[in-house]
Every structure is written in structure tokens, then in C-alpha cells.
Amino acid sequence: MQLLNTLLIGITAGSIYALMAIAFVLVWRSTRVVNFAQAGMALLSTYFGYEAVSRLGSFWVALPVAMIGGALFAALVELVLMRLLVKHASSGPIAGVAPIIATLGLLGVIRSVISMIWGGQDLRIVPPISNNGFTINGSTLVFSPLKLLILVVVVVLLILLTTLFQKTNLGLALRASAHAPEIARLSGVRVDAVRTLGWALAGAAGAVAGLFQTVNGNGNFSPDSIEFLLLLVSGFIAAVIGGLDSLLGAVLGGLFLGIAISFVLMYVSSGLFFIAPFVILLLVLFIRPQGIIGVKAGRRA
Amino acid sequence: MKAMNRRKLITASAVLAVVGLAATALPAQAAEVGVTSTQIKLGMTLPMTGTASLGYNKIPGAAKAYFDYLNANGGINGRKITLVVKDDRYVPTEAVAKTNELILKDKVMALMAPLGTANVKAVATSVNPARRGVPVLFINTGFSGFADVKKYPTTYTVLPSYIMEAKIMGEYIKENFAGKKIGLLYQDDDFGVDALEGFKTAGVNFAVKVPYASGSQNAAAAAGWITKFKAAEADVVILFGVSSATSAMLGVAAQLKYAPQWMLGSVGGDATTIKLTGVPAGVLYNAIGFSPVPATTDMKDEYVKFFSDIYAKAVPGSAFDLNVLLGMNTAFMTAQAIKAAGQNPTRKSLMAAIDSKGATFASSALVPVGYSKTSHVGLTGYWVGKYAPTGDLAPIGGTYVTYTTDSGSGPVVKSTYKRPAMPAKGLPN
Amino acid sequence: MHKSKKESTHIPLFILGGVVLYFLSGFVDELRVYQGASIAVYVIAISSIILLTGYSGQVSLGHGALLAVGAYAAAVLRVEFNVPIILCFVAAVLAAAVGGSLLGAAAARLSGPYLAGTTLALAIGLPSLANQFSILGGEQGLAFDVGFPPLALGEEFTQYKWFFWIAALAALISMWSVRNILNSAYGRSWRAGRGNEVAAQLAGINTARSKVLAFTVSAGIAGLAGALLAMTIGTVSPSAFPLTLSFSLLTGAVLAGITTLGGVIIGAVVLVAIPEIADVVAHRLGSSESVTTNLPGLIVSGLLILTVLFVPNGPVEQHRARKAKHEAAHAGSKKNDKH
């Protein structure tokens, strides 16, 4: 029983990390940048969702509102910040570090502004469906309709996005703009617009991650919620474990990380909460530096 | 020419050095800090924001509510009491930085009710209020080590220590749950370690102990804790963590239909705070809880009525809970200490006042305080209650049965303490 | 001749700097002295990041963890074995350097975002390791008490002045060392590897070893900063090394000019001054509680973005570049005159 529950806890946590990892991978695939502000954007989208729920009363309406809000905000950031960055800081020693630092700065700005507008206290979003565990044969599992929903959403998103990337012209344009922007431009692809689209998709995915992370807990969130710090770190680690280049890798990486952490906390010690992700990441990178579904060639870039 | 410039530089530096040395040798001025003819300034550091702030961030509003009432009624010997509050987010390094500001920039007379074991410890070592002679009054932590007068000569505790609380819990378990399996959730630091020591003295053997790293408490983690308690088949589960940990635990327990006999430590046991996070009142029903001050819903108690009236006027719309009651109680005790310090209070006379008269200070607590010339220990016990169907803590059977003990190996005894009547209008007499 | 001139003019400058600081600490009020000590600590920490990221091109989001290693090493020696303070600081440097070399070895296979991610996870995970081993003191931490200032300095010599002196002295020594390391062959090999790794290898530089060395040296310096940080706070605990510390150091490095040592003091002063300035601004505007608490964070983060966008190589480097351009133009016109 304990084994099953440990597995279920891991799968649920992992599916949310997977959502976040998808967002990271989307940004990476379209602009070759790691967006450390992703969790901040997810947080902002959650606040958008909260406003929508308060005014419109329905979580199911709030979800698309948050996604659209997240997408628009992400697109705005790409348009303003990233373009400026490319213009001013794409040469010299600062080039590799600049996007990381700029997005870290953005994370701080978003957090502070959210705290100024909405205040630092806890707000609450009520889960749309029950989070009570399924009861089988008299014992209750750590798995509920809500957690099942999250898992389903992750899989659906994965299928949709992979189809987009692999099977459509738009997807081809997205991939080309990241790997070979000059050639893509010559072929008539509007590279800048496509990159913005990549960020917008990531923003939407992040919004879903933020909302589900919130309602999967007790529904409370604030600018300093530990939930969002977890999203940032674990989402990123999950993306790295999966090999930053692949959406499927992101999902697998997320699930792997979630399950691994769950087992460590249950069977070794629950005090290892902050150490486990680091150790797991080191182990994975040591055994397979390109990640689960990574391609060896591009890693040194 | 370069060589001559360099020589000039060195000569100039030497002159400056001598002047600097002379300047450093000048004696510093002596003046009483934080006290003017019209005002007394106090300082407080605690988490106002962040994971640990749940519930505790109401304390400044509560303390200020009492001080405003006091000031409107003449203050203390004509002086108004001002409270400067700084947010340390439960991070010891920030507590040190903010306390530095309070002492050096805001120039407060004394520190009042700083919150958090790790924070108070860090301040004691770095800012060293003891060496500066700054009183640290009625600290908001139950760590037993702070009662050591040699190590912390200017510090006064007020809350019963975690060892005392664990011993009283242990006694109650022996009387009512002998032979049952006991589980414990505790924080992975001095706060939790103190409790473990108390349980050991009380002779409690745990079937399962689950530590959590401070800062990691959330719903997902709670699911893991519950799975462990279930696996160990615990009959009684003691929650000895902060409010955010207790809330997470109870919230998830409701979802997983896990309902052992709960026992809540006082630190994280405030019902109002817990219910605000969405925990249904039904989950708390019949859980066992402890408190040194009367139940916050007990309007028949004169202190509760008095304090809640003031609070309702000062902070309308905010619920009167344990944090508020304790905050106002501490402010009340502080006011009495300042009054007892004399017409022209100094830091020394403030501390002398608590040493000699502290044991007679009026307080809403149902157990006595232990201040004396050799002891800075505050409250020494708890009453045991059960949470009602509304989820609020109330004494079992309607009458307060209090237990007192010490932080050492002394026995747990039923207390016969009768609380004296509240002074007129709730003002220091 | 050029090289010796550069080095020899720096020693008296550092001594002069020391004397000026000594003089200042006599007149300045205690809070400023304490802040001065913090600035000195930041100077050391930021210079370690400049070395690693600016010169060797390796991003570390987790330098806080390396500070933690140094701080814990110093504290454990002090608490358990009552080792004299100066040896504690030496131990801090060595312990952190060892940690850095391990991290560097692991990092040599990683680059860019992978390195960033690993160091991020390290920053969060390593400090909480203290809860697992009781000798490390757990969440409440270990006390790190450097003791009272020697009586020879007089009764009025406060604890904070003592902190300031120790920190300032350490900062001067470490700055001098770092400058010399960066000007040495090692520094050149780092710059070469950062620019173009393949070309550097072709030129005979063992880039992997060079990168590990950069991590080791940077970590050692960070360890010293960590021990000094512990001194000023008086305790080492996991919460003294939050993720925001690593981010602040990175911010300071960028503000200073991530490739120049010269701007380090600017970066450090800004980091310490921002909360105060923000406090004053917020109170002038008479704003609400939520604005006041968040203004420092907003300003620091905003400054970070603006710096990276508009002054990416730091104000000192920007100034130098402008001066060089001006001189080149001037020399060009002079040349033309000669004809």
C-alpha cells in the first residue's frame, strides 16, 4: 500500500513538474534561451486565473483566461526584453550569461510587482473537482479525480504540442528558427514572429502548471509560496534530466524526478526534501550528460 | 616626480592614521536610548511574509491595538509607547539585519517578542543585545535554552518551553492513551529537538517520527507524511510544527480520509489560522490541544472579552485568535514592566523591575510566571482542551484543568493556581 | 617593464586604501561600520563570481552553496575544536576550494543551461544538508564567534568595528590576490577558453583542467567570503544561504561589470545600499506596507535587467572602452598630423 501511494504521489508531483518542463523546453527549442522567469510567469498567470475565478465564478473559464494571459505576457516579454537583449548583449563574454541574468532579474521584478499589486497574503483558488482520494477496498489512495485530471492534461498537451512541432509547417518553422535562423529567414520564415509564438506557447503551458500546482495543494498561494519555488527548480531540473531538446523528454524527466523524489522522501528521510533533486540531477547527468532523450551533439553549445 | 607624489601620499596617510587613532580613543556619549519625555520606543522582528508567517503576522496589529488603547488612557507615566516592527521572513540572517536597524538606527529602548528559535539565537550571537544591555522581552519562542540566564542575561521568556509542553503531552498520553501507538510530526531543528527531549523525559516511545525540513511544509509533502503514519498504524498523531505544517497535514488528511486521534502542539494549534487555509472544522473536531491562555472563544473570561473588544475596534473584520491574544497579553505585560521601572525608566531599571516584580504582573494566562532575580522563565504550563465541532479549542468538560512543570526532570503536576482579577480597565496599576 | 609597473603601483594603493578605511571607521556610526563589513564581504564574494563567470565563462547560480561550505568549515572548527580564528578562515578557503574542485570536475562536462541548472539545484540542496548531520547544527545553526576585539585597541572599540577591520583586511588581501591571478598565465588561459574553446585547445591549453582550476580558485575565495559572512551574522545556518543570496551575488557581479575587477566595490555598495535607499524612497512617497517591503527587491531586479541590457560589461568596462575609442581616434588624428 505504501509502495503504491509513494508511486502515486510521485506521479502527481511529476506531472506538474512535466508541465513546467514543457514550458522550459518550448522556450529553449524556439529561442535557445533558458527562461528562469518561467515560474514567475506561471505565478502571474495564476493570479490572472484567480481574478477570473473571483469575477466569473468558474475554474473552467479561469483556466483558458490564465492561459491566454500567460501567453500574452510571455509574448510581450519576448518582444521587449529578449529582442533588446539580442541587440545589445549578443557579443563578448556576457553573451552566454546575459539571458540567464536578464530572466533572473525578470523573475524578481514579477514577484515584487505581484506582491505590490495583490499583497503578500495568501489567496485561495478552490479546486474544480474533488481532491479526495479514491477509496478502494476500504483504504484510500493518494490519488483523486483532480490528480487524474492533471495527468490527463499533461498527456494531452504533450500529444498536441508534439504534433504541432513534428507534423505542421508552423512546427517546422519553430524548429528551423531555433537551429538555423538565417536559413529560415532566407526560406521566407518570419523568424521573429515564430520565436514570439514559441514563448507564447510556453507561457500558456506555464499557466496550466501554476494553476494546477495551486489547486493540487490546499488551493492557497502567495508571491512567496514554496510551490512556485518548487516549480522553478524542479521544473527546470526535470527539463534538464529529459534533455532540453525534447518535449517527450520533458514529460519523462518530470515523471522520473517526481517519482524518484517521492521514493527518497518516503524510504530514506523526509528531511531530504531540498537535497534530493540535486542528487538526482547529478546522478542523471553523470550517467547520461545529454539527458534521457538528449542528442549528444548539441550539448556543448 | 612619481616618487615624490608617492611619498606625499604616504605622509598624508600617516597623518590621517594618527588623527584616526585619536578620534577612536574619544569616549562615547552615555544616554538612555529609546526614552524621551513623551515616548518610549520598542522594537519587534517576526515573519510578516513568507511560508512561516501564517497567523503570526497578526501579532503586530494586536500588540499595537493594546498600546493604542494604553496611550489613549495616558500611556505610562505620561509617555506613549511606540512599536517599530520589521519583517524578517523567519530567516535568521534577516533577523540579525533588522535587529541591527532597530537598535542602531531606530534606537529602540528594548526588543519585544522577537519570533523564532533560530532567529533569536542568531541575534543573540551577532547583535549581542546582552553585551549592549538591550532587554529582550517576552520572546516568542519556547526553546528551553533561552532560559539560561548566564548565556542570555537580558532575555526573558514568556511562552512555556517546548520541553514543558512535550512533558505535559506525555503525561496526558500516559493517563489516556497507554499502550497505543504514537506518531510525531516535528520540525527538523532546535524547535523539534527540544520537543524530542521533553518526550524522552516523559518516557514516550514513538512508533513513528516524521521530521520535516523547515520551509518544505506543503500539501504534497503532507501526503508523504500521512502515508508514513498510516504504514506505522499510529493511533495518536502529535503535530509539533508551525501553523503551515499543521494546516497542510490536516487539509490533506481530510482528502485522504485519514483520521487518527490528533494532538496539536500550541505553536501550530491555532484553530482560526488552520481553518483559514481551507481545513474543514470537522477535521479538528475532537483533536486535543494545549494553551496557556484562556480559549479565544471564551467570552466569559474577562481578559478575553476585554482584549477582543479592543481588537475588534482597532482591526475590524479580523478574527480574534490565539496569536492576537498572546500578542496583546505580551504587550500588556510589557506595559506593566515599563510602569514598574519607575518615573524615569532605563534599560537596567526595566529588567530589574521584571526580576523583582515580574511574578506579580497581571496576565491572562491560567498558569503562573516564574520571574525572579535568578530566573527569566515565563509561563510554566498549559491546560488541555479538545476542539469543538466549530473547530475551536475549548477546555475538556468546560473547566480549565492546568498542568505545570519545568524544563528539567521535575514532575508534571496539576496546578492549583488561581488567576487574580484583571486590573481596572486593563491598565497597569 | 609594463607588467612590473602595473603590479608595483598597486601595493601602495592597497595600503592607502587600508589606511583610509581605518580612518573612516573611527568617525562613522556603528550601523555604517556594520554595513561596511557587509560591503567588504560582498566585494570578496563578487570577485569570485567575476573570476568564474566573467573570466572563465562558467555560469554558477549556486555560489551561495560554496560560501556555505566555507562558513560551515570555519564554524565547525571553532565550535568543536576551538581553533584560532585565522586558521578557521584558512580552513574555510581550503574546504570551499576542495568543494569547488569537485563541482568543477562535474561541471567540466556541462555547459550553459546544464551547468546553470546543476548549480541552481546545489544552491538549494547543499545548505539543507546541515540538517542531516548534527555536528553541523541543523536549522538553528552553529555559532561563529570571532571573539571580542583585543583589549589593546581600547575599551570603546566595538564588536562591529572589529568585524569591519577583519573583513576589510581580508578584502584587501583577496582583491590583491585575485588581481594578480587574473593577470597571470592562468587568467589568460581562462579568457582564452572562454572566448573560443577549440582555438584555446589548439593553442595548447588544457581547457578542462583550466576550467576546474577556475572553479577551485573561485570557490576558495567564495569560502573566505562565507566565513566572513558567518562572522558578521554570528551564526551559520541553512537559511543564511538562500537562493536569493546566489542571485544577489550574480547581480552584484553584473552591476560591477562581470569581466572587470575594478567595479567590484560599486557592485557591493549597490547591493548594501539598495535596501536603505528603497526604504527612504518608499517612506518619502508615503506608500503602503506592500510597496515598502517589495521596493528593494524590485529595484535590485530592475537594475539587473537594465544593466544587462544597456551596460552589459559593467560601468568600468564601458568607461574604459569609451576612453580607448577616444584615444584611438585622437592617436589617429595625431598620426595624420605627423605627415
Side-chain angles (χ1 to χ4, degrees), chain B residues 6 9 13 16-17 20-21 23-24 26 28 87 91-93 96 100 104-105 118 121-122 125-127 131-132 188-190 214, chain C residues 12 16 19 22-23 26-27 30-31 34 131-132 139-140 143 148 156-157 159-161 232-235 237 239-240 276 279 293:
Chain B
R6 217 179 296 160
L9 269 173
S13 320
L16 287 177
L21 190 61
T24 336
L26 290 171
D87 180 7
V91 177
T93 24
V96 168
N100 266 328
L104 299 175
K105 209 163 75 164
K121 252 193 171 177
T125 331
S126 168
V127 180
R131 196 177 175 219
R132 298 167 187 272
D188 208 352
D189 62 9
D190 250 345
S214 170
Chain C
L16 173 63
V19 165
Y22 170 101
F23 165 64
F27 276 107
E30 262 213 291
L31 186 61
Y34 184 75
N131 284 324
Q132 302 308 313
E139 193 69 37
Q140 69 282 1
F148 296 134
E156 296 305 323
F157 202 80
Q159 186 78 33
Y160 285 167
K161 262 191 215 151
T232 58
I233 308 173
T235 341
S237 68
S239 52
E276 251 199 72
D279 211 37
T293 351

Side-chain angles (χ1 to χ4, degrees), chain A residues 136-223:
Chain A
I136 299 180
N137 289 344
S139 52
T140 318
L141 291 176
V142 187
F143 202 62
S144 64
L146 180 64
K147 299 190 206 285
L148 183 60
L149 175 69
I150 296 176
L151 196 57
V152 166
V153 166
V154 170
V155 172
V156 166
L157 261 179
L158 175 66
I159 296 177
L160 280 176
L161 287 170
T162 313
T163 320
L164 176 72
F165 267 87
Q166 304 288 62
K167 301 281 196 293
T168 66
N169 282 336
L170 184 58
L172 184 60
L174 275 164
R175 281 186 289 143
S177 308
H179 282 273
E182 299 312 325
I183 301 179
R185 233 177 239 126
L186 287 172
S187 316
V189 173
R190 289 175 56 222
V191 169
D192 292 338
V194 162
R195 291 167 90 127
T196 312
L197 181 64
W199 273 66
L201 285 173
V208 179
L211 271 179
F212 278 133
Q213 173 78 315
T214 305
V215 298
N216 185 42
N218 52 13
N220 292 320
F221 66 100
S222 72

Side-chain angles (χ1 to χ4, degrees), chain A residues 3-299:
Chain A
L3 190 69
L4 180 60
N5 275 331
T6 311
L7 193 61
L8 289 171
I9 292 174
I11 291 179
T12 314
S15 44
I16 298 180
Y17 299 153
L19 278 171
M20 205 61 202
I22 287 178
F24 277 115
V25 169
L26 281 170
V27 168
W28 176 258
R29 285 192 79 165
S30 53
T31 55
R32 287 225 109 51
V33 158
V34 175
N35 177 18
F36 280 102
Q38 201 73 54
M41 293 177 181
L43 181 66
L44 184 62
S45 310
T46 308
Y47 274 89
F48 289 153
Y50 169 78
E51 290 293 321
V53 170
S54 323
R55 279 154 223 272
L56 304 169
S58 157
F59 180 85
W60 299 113
V61 175
L63 184 61
V65 168
M67 287 174 76
I68 295 174
L72 286 175
F73 182 70
L76 184 68
V77 169
E78 205 280 331
L79 272 172
V80 176
L81 192 61
M82 294 297 132
R83 301 264 178 104
L84 267 178
L85 205 62
V86 165
K87 214 166 78 172
H88 287 216
S90 57
S91 63
I94 197 78
V97 185
I100 295 178
I101 295 178
T103 50
L104 276 179
L106 183 62
L107 179 65
V109 167
I110 294 177
R111 210 216 121 265
S112 305
V113 170
I114 287 179
S115 195
M116 281 188 194
I117 299 179
W118 279 280
Q121 77 283 1
D122 273 0
L123 294 174
R124 190 142 191 266
I125 298 182
V126 179
I129 59 180
S130 160
N131 201 8
N132 290 341
F134 294 119
T135 316
I136 299 180
N137 289 344
S139 52
T140 318
L141 291 176
V142 187
F143 202 62
S144 64
L146 180 64
K147 299 190 206 285
L148 183 60
L149 175 69
I150 296 176
L151 196 57
V152 166
V153 166
V154 170
V155 172
V156 166
L157 261 179
L158 175 66
I159 296 177
L160 280 176
L161 287 170
T162 313
T163 320
L164 176 72
F165 267 87
Q166 304 288 62
K167 301 281 196 293
T168 66
N169 282 336
L170 184 58
L172 184 60
L174 275 164
R175 281 186 289 143
S177 308
H179 282 273
E182 299 312 325
I183 301 179
R185 233 177 239 126
L186 287 172
S187 316
V189 173
R190 289 175 56 222
V191 169
D192 292 338
V194 162
R195 291 167 90 127
T196 312
L197 181 64
W199 273 66
L201 285 173
V208 179
L211 271 179
F212 278 133
Q213 173 78 315
T214 305
V215 298
N216 185 42
N218 52 13
N220 292 320
F221 66 100
S222 72
D224 292 308
S225 301
I226 191 186
E227 268 79 4
F228 284 93
L229 179 66
L230 284 178
L231 267 188
L232 173 67
V233 177
S234 304
F236 181 57
I237 294 179
V240 168
I241 289 180
L244 270 177
D245 255 337
S246 152
L247 286 169
L248 177 61
V251 174
L252 289 179
L255 289 172
F256 176 76
L257 186 66
I259 295 174
I261 293 180
S262 183
F263 272 89
V264 167
L265 290 184
M266 186 66 67
Y267 292 104
V268 181
S269 163
S270 43
L272 293 176
F273 190 81
F274 294 113
I275 303 173
F278 172 61
V279 173
I280 294 170
L281 177 66
L282 265 190
L283 284 174
V284 171
L285 286 181
F286 201 70
I287 300 175
R288 232 187 122 77
Q290 68 270 32
I292 299 180
I293 304 190
V295 179
K296 243 189 172 124
R299 263 342 37 92

Side-chain angles (χ1 to χ4, degrees), chain B residues 193-346:
Chain B
V193 167
D194 226 25
L196 287 175
E197 210 181 299
F199 285 121
K200 204 163 92 172
T201 314
V204 178
N205 287 317
F206 291 105
V208 57
K209 285 188 283 206
V210 177
Y212 70 89
S214 170
S216 74
Q217 61 269 31
N218 69 349
W225 305 334
I226 290 179
T227 312
K228 284 195 188 164
F229 286 123
K230 269 194 189 174
E233 291 172 352
D235 304 297
V236 180
V237 175
I238 304 179
L239 300 179
F240 216 101
V242 292
S243 292
S244 41
T246 313
S247 311
M249 179 66 136
L250 293 175
V252 175
Q255 289 166 352
L256 299 181
K257 300 195 193 41
Y258 178 60
Q261 171 63 58
W262 296 110
M263 194 178 273
L264 272 59
S266 62
V267 173
D270 178 53
T272 316
T273 311
I274 295 174
K275 284 189 287 184
L276 270 176
T277 66
V279 173
V283 174
L284 278 170
Y285 181 38
N286 263 335
I288 298 168
F290 302 81
S291 174
V293 290
T296 52
T297 44
D298 185 1
M299 284 300 160
K300 287 189 270 126
D301 185 288
E302 57 174 347
Y303 276 99
V304 173
K305 174 108 182 55
F306 168 65
F307 282 141
S308 57
D309 280 345
I310 296 179
Y311 189 67
K313 284 197 205 93
V315 192
S318 173
F320 183 78
D321 62 20
L322 184 62
N323 294 305
V324 175
L325 176 53
L326 285 172
M328 295 182 85
N329 199 58
T330 302
F332 183 41
M333 287 172 70
T334 309
Q336 293 175 72
I338 297 177
K339 182 105 193 251
Q343 279 291 341
N344 288 308
T346 63

Side-chain angles (χ1 to χ4, degrees), chain B residues 90 114-118 120 138-147 156-166 190-195 240 266-267 377-379 382 407:
Chain B
Y90 206 57
L115 191 152
T117 306
V120 175
F138 312 134
I139 54 180
N140 202 338
T141 145
F143 177 61
S144 57
F146 292 127
Y156 294 84
T157 70
V158 65
L159 297 177
S161 77
Y162 300 130
I163 296 186
M164 289 178 200
E165 186 170 0
D190 250 345
F191 167 25
V193 167
D194 226 25
F240 216 101
S266 62
V267 173
V377 172
L379 297 171
Y382 288 94
S407 295

Side-chain angles (χ1 to χ4, degrees), chain B residues 36-125:
Chain B
T36 69
S37 54
T38 51
Q39 191 194 61
I40 293 182
K41 233 197 263 188
L42 302 170
M44 181 192 283
T45 55
L46 82 167
M48 294 291 288
T49 57
T51 17
S53 65
L54 184 67
Y56 310 125
N57 49 19
K58 288 168 89 167
I59 296 176
K64 281 186 183 161
Y66 179 75
F67 285 140
D68 286 343
Y69 170 78
L70 177 67
N71 294 336
N73 282 283
I76 303 281
N77 291 332
R79 295 183 177 91
K80 294 205 195 300
I81 302 198
T82 319
L83 182 64
V84 182
V85 179
K86 305 238 175 202
D87 180 7
D88 69 6
R89 302 194 300 153
Y90 206 57
V91 177
T93 24
E94 288 199 43
V96 168
K98 301 292 174 180
T99 310
N100 266 328
E101 285 175 27
L102 286 173
I103 295 183
L104 299 175
K105 209 163 75 164
D106 299 282
K107 301 212 198 298
V108 300
M109 179 200 190
L111 301 170
M112 184 181 106
L115 191 152
T117 306
N119 301 305
V120 175
K121 252 193 171 177
V123 167
T125 331

